[in-house]
Amino acid sequence: LQVSVNKRYSAGFTVLGSYTWGKSLGVVGAQGEGGNGPRDPENYRLDYGPLGGNLAHNFVSSFIWDIPFGAKQAAAWQRWIFGNWQVGSINSVRSGSPFTVRSGRNNSVVGTAQDTADLVGDWRLPDGRSRGEKIARYFDTSAFTANAMGTFGNLGINNLTGPGSWNVDLVINKKF
């Protein structure tokens, strides 16, 4: 889904906004998951999930505004100092990217080193934590353990989603 709003430049103002919702699923991911075929030939679904470039939500907006100071009837030195200023901004808000929790071992003994961890609990941490606590510990690592010997791990590919991001770029400039 793509939605876009555009107010073309007029009366010293322009704005552009766009929103994209998407979902990209597959077996072969950007990080190479499934690149040599599925980890477990008996269970193709184990390698099926969101692809590495999957961003569920992406919102971008921008604007430019000619600040109406330095009117034409003002003295020349006032127009030179106070006139022709612009303010602009590019803003983006997006959801996080999916990632895979690997076991770090080759317990499946197939030589691909693509084993995922075994999920043994709820990886979500409670809400209401401070921002610093959320940055220091995004998910509960004790909910994962190394996969059992002879298995590929019970966690699929890209089952967790990292934190989203918010960015604002602001510009103030003067045209000479």
Side-chain angles (χ1 to χ4, degrees), residues 36-143:
N36 296 325
R39 290 178 293 153
D40 182 357
E42 303 293 324
N43 184 2
Y44 277 70
R45 299 292 295 173
L46 188 60
D47 286 337
Y48 182 82
L51 298 177
N54 183 52
L55 279 178
H57 304 281
N58 188 23
F59 174 76
V60 179
S61 67
S62 65
F63 76 88
I64 297 175
W65 176 46
D66 290 336
I67 300 174
F69 297 139
K72 293 179 182 176
Q73 62 271 21
W77 69 272
Q78 290 174 329
R79 286 195 312 268
W80 190 82
I81 293 174
F82 299 112
N84 293 323
W85 285 92
Q86 284 185 329
V87 175
S89 179
I90 300 174
N91 315 292
S92 63
V93 179
R94 60 184 54 175
S95 58
S97 298
F99 66 94
T100 302
V101 177
R102 300 277 182 207
S103 70
R105 300 190 181 164
N106 184 22
N107 286 345
S108 61
V109 196
V110 295
T112 62
Q114 297 291 317
D115 294 357
T116 58
D118 280 340
L119 183 64
V120 294
D122 188 6
W123 60 270
R124 293 172 192 84
L125 291 171
D127 290 335
R129 297 177 301 135
S130 72
R131 185 170 194 262
E133 289 172 324
K134 289 178 183 178
I135 291 172
R137 193 164 175 216
Y138 181 68
F139 61 93
D140 187 1
T141 56
S142 67

